[in-house]
Amino acid sequence: MTELDDSDARPPGVPHGDAVPDYRLESLDRQLRGLARLLVREGDDADDAVQDAWVSALEEPEGRVRDWTAWLRQVVRHSARRRARRSDLRR
């Protein structure tokens, strides 16, 4: 488990000082990557869509999101669709 404090980039929705099991974040990341791969053709675009979701989560003000898993999935869907459209336009 990773102990998080004010100097760490805390996962979304995790209060200061709480420990977050690494396996939970890794599991969620795998789920998000699987979703992204279903939505885009290029593996790099899928990885970028997931990265966009994590960055968006870190920038989201605390207390605005109740279900982070659903929220992250929605961000991945939007980002993946944008990337897929861009990829189609380049062809």
Side-chain angles (χ1 to χ4, degrees), residues 25-85:
L25 296 175
E26 291 167 2
S27 175
L28 179 56
D29 189 68
R30 280 192 302 276
Q31 291 173 31
L32 295 173
R33 288 180 192 286
L35 173 61
R37 284 187 201 105
L38 290 172
L39 300 171
V40 296
R41 292 186 181 108
E42 301 293 327
D44 289 343
D45 284 341
D47 290 341
D48 289 344
V50 173
Q51 185 174 7
D52 289 347
W54 286 118
V55 169
S56 294
L58 291 171
E59 293 172 345
E60 187 70 19
E62 277 189 56
R64 289 186 53 190
V65 176
R66 292 185 184 182
D67 183 346
W68 282 102
T69 300
W71 187 88
L72 285 164
R73 287 181 181 148
Q74 187 66 24
V75 173
V76 166
R77 280 191 286 274
H78 287 294
S79 180
R81 287 181 186 135
R82 276 194 315 273
R83 290 176 182 285
R85 280 193 297 268

